[in-house]
C-alpha cells in the first residue's frame, strides 16, 4: 500500500516564535518521527519574496528557520526537508498551472481581497495599489508546491484553507483537460493545537509585532515574559486561568499534571510577578538545550546547507520525472 503524503511549507520572512512552535513546528516535528506517511517540509523562500524585498532578511530567515527545525529535532532521514528555490520544477509547474487557472478564482482569494479592501478603505483611486502579481497569484505557486509531490494532507492554519481548496480546483481542472495527473490535496487543521496569545493579548503573530521569539537569549526571554499583559488583580486574589495569556503559554508546554497543579495555584491566588517568574523558568528549562543547538547550527551554515542539499536530491528524484510526464501531457516534449 502506498503511504500517505503530508506536505507543508514555512515562509522565510522572520524568526520562529513560540506561537509558530506550538501551532506548527512541534506537531510537524512529532509527526516526522513516525513512519506511517511520507513527510515533505520546505522553506518557502519564493513565497517569502512576495512580501519581503529585503535580501538580508530572506537570507537570515532561511538560515534561522532551517536551524530551528533541526535544533528542535526534525528527523531529516525520514522527512524530506528542502528549500523551494532548489526545486526548479516547482517554478516550471507554476507557469503551467498559471496557464489553466481562472483569473476569477484568484480574484476571490482572501489575501488579495483584503489588500484591495484596504485600498478602498484608504480611498485610494487604484484598488490594486501596492499589489504585485506575486501576491495575486500566490495560490498558484502554493498549488505547484503541493501538486508537484502529489501531497494528500496539508497541515495548515485556518487562514490557509482557502489556498488548499484552490489547489484542489486547479488540480481538478488540469486532470479534466489533460487526463488524471494530479492528486487532489486536503487541508488538515488541527483543532487541538493551541493558538497562543502574544504580549498584548492578541493572537501571537509577526504582523502584530507581539511575539516571543523561540530562541532569544535567556535574559531577553525573561524581559519579554515580564512584559506580557495581565489584569490588575492583586497578589493573593484567586485568579481565572481562562483567558490568561501566562497560563495559556504555560499550558502549551507543561504536562497535564503540571497544568492541574498550576490551576490550583491560580485559585490560591498566585501573584502575577510570581507567575511570570515561574513561566520564565519553565520555558527556559524547556528551550535551553534546543537553544544551544540552534546557536551552534547558526555557526555552521555549511552543515545546514548539506542537509538541504540532501533534501533537494530526494525531492528532485520525484519532481524531475513527474515534471517531464506533466510536460508530455500538455504537449511540450521532444519532436
Ligand atoms: N502560505 C503558507 C503560509 O503562509 C506557506 C506555504 C507555502 C505552504 N507553500 C505551501 C503551506 C504549501 C502548505 C503547503 O503559511
Amino acid at each position: 500500500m502506498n503511504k500517505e503524503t503530508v506536505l507543508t511549507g514555512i515562509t522565510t520572512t522572520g524568526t520562529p516564535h513560540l506561537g509558530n512552535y506550538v501551532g506548527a513546528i512541534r506537531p510537524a516535528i512529532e509527526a516526522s518521527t513516525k513512519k506511517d506517511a511520507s513527510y515533505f517540509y520546505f522553506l518557502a523562500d519564493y513565497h517569502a519574496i512576495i512580501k519581503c524585498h529585503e535580501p538580508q532578511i530572506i537570507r537570515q530567515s532561511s538560515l534561522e528557520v532551517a536551524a530551528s527545525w533541526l535544533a528542535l529535532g526534525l528527523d531529516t532521514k525520514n522527512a524530506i526537508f528542502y528549500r523551494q528555490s532548489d526545486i526548479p520544477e516547482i517554478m516550471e509547474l507554476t507557469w503551467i498551472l498559471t496557464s489553466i487557472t481562472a483569473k476569477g478564482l484568484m480574484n476571490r482569494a482572501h489575501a488579495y481581497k483584503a489588500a484591495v479592501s484596504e485600498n478602498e478603505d484608504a480611498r485610494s483611486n487604484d484598488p490594486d495599489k501596492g499589489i504585485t502579481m506575486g501576491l495575486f497569484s500566490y495560490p498558484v505557486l502554493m498549488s505547484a508546491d503541493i501538486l508537484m509531490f502529489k501531497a494528500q494532507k496539508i497541515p495548515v492554519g485556518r487562514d490557509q484553507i482557502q489556498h488548499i481548496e484552490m489547489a484542489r480546483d486547479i488540480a481538478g481542472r488540469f486532470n479534466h483537460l489533460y487526463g488524471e495527473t494530479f492528486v487532489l490535496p486536503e487541508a488538515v487543521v488541527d483543532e487541538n493545537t493551541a493558538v497562543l496569545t502574544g504580549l498584548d493579548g492578541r493572537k501571537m503573530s509577526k504582523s502584530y509585532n507581539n511575539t516571543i521569539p523561540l530562541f532569544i537569549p535567556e535574559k531577553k526571554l525573561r524581559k519579554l515574559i515580564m512584559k506580557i499583559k495581565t489584569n490588575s488583580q492583586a497578589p493573593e486574589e484567586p485568579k481565572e486561568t481562562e483567558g490568561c495569556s501566562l497560563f495559556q503559554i504555560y499550558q502549551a508546554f507543561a504536562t497535564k499534571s503540571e497544568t492541574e497543579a498550576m490551576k490550583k495555584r491560580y485559585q490560591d491566588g498566585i501573584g502575577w510577578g510570581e507567575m511570570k517568574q515561574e513561566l520564565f523558568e519553565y520555558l527556559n528549562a524547556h528551550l535551553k538545550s534546543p537553544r544551544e543547538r540552534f546557536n551552534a547550527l547558526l555557526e555552521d551554515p555549511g552543515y545546514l546547507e548539506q542537509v538541504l542539499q540532501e533534501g533537494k536530491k530526494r525531492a528532485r528524484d520525484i519532481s524531475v520525472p513527474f515534471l517531464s510526464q506533466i510536460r508530455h501531457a500538455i504537449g511540450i516534449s521532444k519532436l
Side-chain angles (χ1 to χ4, degrees):
M1 205 191 85
N2 267 345
K3 280 204 231 173
E4 201 168 59
T5 302
V6 180
L7 173 145
T8 201
I10 316 115
T11 310
T12 52
T13 45
T15 193
H17 56 72
L18 291 183
N20 297 142
Y21 174 62
V22 169
I25 306 175
R26 186 171 62 187
I29 288 180
E30 275 171 10
S32 78
T33 59
K34 302 193 197 113
K35 306 271 187 274
D36 60 337
S38 310
Y39 294 93
F40 291 77
Y41 298 138
F42 65 96
L43 309 178
D45 50 357
Y46 271 137
H47 274 104
I49 63 163
I50 293 173
K51 295 178 212 154
C52 172
H53 299 154
E54 293 174 69
Q56 194 43 42
I57 293 185
I58 302 285
R59 212 172 284 126
Q60 185 63 22
S61 169
S62 301
L63 181 70
E64 289 183 8
V65 172
S68 302
W69 282 65
L70 296 189
L72 292 162
L74 177 69
D75 179 359
T76 55
K77 289 277 168 286
N78 194 27
I80 302 186
F81 188 53
Y82 57 101
R83 184 165 42 201
Q84 186 185 34
S85 59
D86 274 342
I87 318 295
E89 293 73 32
I90 294 175
M91 294 303 120
E92 206 170 326
L93 180 57
T94 300
W95 181 252
I96 296 171
L97 298 180
T98 300
S99 309
I100 60 151
T101 300
K103 175 173 175 288
L105 184 68
M106 296 298 101
N107 286 343
R108 290 193 285 278
H110 301 315
Y112 169 66
K113 280 190 358 194
V116 170
S117 84
E118 252 178 55
N119 284 332
E120 284 166 353
D121 291 347
R123 300 194 176 279
S124 162
N125 47 21
D126 177 9
D128 281 324
K129 189 173 174 212
I131 298 171
T132 62
M133 285 305 294
L135 177 72
F136 185 66
S137 47
Y138 185 107
V140 185
L141 175 55
M142 199 161 148
S143 301
D145 290 332
I146 296 168
L147 302 181
M148 187 83 256
F149 297 102
K150 300 190 173 131
Q152 290 150 307
K153 296 278 149 79
I154 320 295
V156 283
R158 301 207 145 274
D159 60 320
Q160 298 293 318
I161 297 176
Q162 189 196 31
H163 293 151
I164 314 301
E165 282 166 359
M166 289 176 159
R168 269 181 91 85
D169 272 11
I170 294 170
R173 171 134 179 90
F174 187 100
N175 290 350
H176 174 73
L177 285 170
Y178 298 113
E180 271 323 295
T181 306
F182 294 120
V183 169
L184 306 193
E186 242 177 82
V188 185
V189 179
D190 188 348
E191 303 292 345
N192 296 321
T193 58
V195 176
L196 293 192
T197 47
L199 299 174
D200 56 357
R202 291 187 292 175
K203 176 185 171 201
M204 189 179 289
S205 160
K206 213 167 41 198
S207 31
Y208 295 146
N209 199 16
N210 64 356
T211 68
I212 301 178
L214 253 188
F215 294 131
I216 39 169
E218 202 169 302
K219 274 199 178 131
K220 288 199 175 146
L221 177 64
R222 184 166 191 285
K223 234 179 158 169
L224 281 184
I225 290 175
M226 295 300 152
K227 271 200 199 157
I228 296 175
K229 212 167 117 185
T230 56
N231 63 25
S232 53
Q233 281 183 296
E236 259 84 273
E237 265 183 83
K239 296 178 178 66
E240 287 286 340
T241 51
E242 201 51 41
C244 173
S245 309
L246 297 170
F247 183 80
Q248 187 215 26
I249 298 174
Y250 182 83
Q251 183 174 31
F253 285 83
T255 64
K256 265 209 161 74
S257 61
E258 288 165 335
T259 306
E260 284 309 310
M262 186 54 82
K263 258 191 194 152
K264 174 95 185 30
R265 292 179 67 189
Y266 266 64
Q267 285 157 10
D268 294 345
I270 190 173
W272 291 136
E274 190 185 344
M275 177 57 191
K276 284 180 172 176
Q277 182 62 28
E278 285 279 338
L279 179 61
F280 161 70
E281 279 167 20
Y282 196 91
L283 281 182
N284 195 47
H286 202 88
L287 295 174
K288 208 175 169 70
S289 44
R291 186 198 291 130
E292 278 162 15
R293 285 196 293 275
F294 173 78
N295 288 327
L297 285 166
L298 287 188
E299 296 299 311
D300 195 0
Y303 172 74
L304 292 172
E305 189 54 41
Q306 190 192 320
V307 171
L308 290 173
Q309 289 303 316
E310 277 160 26
K312 166 182 175 173
K313 190 178 169 307
R314 289 168 73 199
R316 292 196 76 208
D317 281 346
I318 300 166
S319 63
V320 170
F322 190 33
L323 186 72
S324 73
Q325 182 197 330
I326 296 164
R327 287 174 56 144
H328 186 80
I330 61 176
I332 292 189
S333 53
K334 291 215 170 65
L335 296 178

